[in-house]
Amino acid sequence: MRAIVLLSGGLDSYTAAAIAKSEGFALNALTVHYGQRHAREIESARAVARWLGVDKHLEPSIDLRAIGGSALTSDLEVPRDRDLGESGIPSTYVPARNTIFLSLALGWAEVIDAADIVMGVNALDYSGYPDCRPEFVSAFERLASVATRAGVEGRRFRVHTPLIAMTKAQIIRRGIELGLDYGLTTSCYDPDPTGRPCGHCDSCLLRAKGFEEAGVPDPLALRAV
């Protein structure tokens, strides 16, 4: 079975991909250069792809800086030490990002005769992004059935989200069970020029919380500033 995995270089996509591999999928990785300020994730995605032994790793470029609207694709400040319990969608939300990424994955899946797409979205320990929810995933699967030749000819595309109902701690524990090296990953929205995580953005805070609750050390902790 072939699958396309959206691979960002973060621990969630790494874990989701490893779960899919453990279930027998042959992985093809898609990492998008979208003008993100945390470009360090591209290097991490390559390292993770090598660890996973993917069949092919594509790195298309779509510069979302032309659209802007996010602290990750513009000069807006990345929020630091924010209360993660706050309601509302934070400025690190990238407009329609997962819709764009899934569309690319869907096109590639159709070309290589794959029916499965894997992504590491999570609806519990996340930052309030609307395109990380089960409703979004279900809607995209319905779209795939009418938006592609393969779909109208009867193929059922499935978007696998194995982490969707897991806490960050549960995700980390599952990854450790699979033998993952989380030292290969990066999570920070605003790392310094050497790639060291800031330790204060939403993503760093969620990662730290996850490792603490999982009761295991974060291999990147000593690199934080």
Side-chain angles (χ1 to χ4, degrees):
M1 300 181 294
R2 292 177 180 170
I4 310 296
V5 57
L6 293 174
L7 203 62
S8 70
L11 69 84
D12 288 347
S13 67
Y14 183 21
T15 309
I19 291 172
K21 183 177 180 178
S22 74
E23 294 173 346
F25 285 101
L27 303 180
N28 294 271
L30 181 68
T31 301
V32 183
H33 298 248
Y34 64 93
Q36 61 269 54
R37 66 193 299 164
H38 49 305
R40 168 84 181 199
E41 70 175 27
I42 302 298
E43 299 172 21
S44 293
R46 291 169 181 163
V48 164
R50 288 192 295 270
W51 191 99
L52 291 165
V54 302
D55 290 344
K56 192 169 184 179
H57 189 190
L58 293 189
E59 298 183 14
S61 296
I62 299 180
D63 193 352
L64 298 184
R65 289 177 296 185
I67 296 174
S70 168
L72 302 188
T73 56
S74 71
D75 294 328
L76 294 172
E77 290 288 331
V78 171
R80 292 192 168 215
D81 300 316
R82 195 173 69 91
D83 179 359
L84 298 178
E86 287 181 13
S87 60
I89 300 171
S91 64
T92 48
Y93 163 69
V94 180
R97 179 176 60 182
N98 281 345
T99 305
I100 294 167
F101 289 2
L102 279 174
S103 297
L104 292 171
L106 178 62
W108 190 18
E110 190 171 26
V111 168
I112 68 171
D113 197 27
D116 299 276
I117 299 170
V118 181
M119 62 189 308
V121 294
N122 175 263
L124 292 182
D125 284 349
Y126 78 122
S127 295
Y129 301 153
D131 52 3
C132 289
R133 298 173 301 150
E135 300 95 315
F136 166 74
V137 175
S138 297
F140 191 89
E141 288 181 330
R142 292 194 298 273
L143 171 68
S145 69
V146 298
T148 61
R149 181 176 65 185
V152 298
E153 290 177 349
R155 173 175 295 166
R156 179 178 180 268
F157 289 98
R158 184 179 176 194
V159 179
H160 298 258
T161 57
L163 315 183
I164 195 82
M166 297 170 68
T167 66
K168 190 70 75 176
Q170 290 171 330
I171 293 167
I172 291 167
R173 291 192 193 104
R174 182 70 178 107
I176 291 171
E177 289 174 358
L178 291 168
L180 303 192
D181 178 5
Y182 284 129
L184 299 177
T185 66
T186 187
S187 300
C188 184
Y189 288 151
D190 195 21
D192 74 9
T194 70
R196 291 185 302 176
C198 72
H200 299 278
C201 67
D202 287 2
S203 190
C204 280
L205 295 176
L206 285 169
R207 180 178 176 123
K209 176 176 177 283
F211 274 99
E212 180 180 3
E213 292 180 352
V216 294
D218 182 353
L220 297 187
L222 296 179
R223 297 170 55 189
V225 293

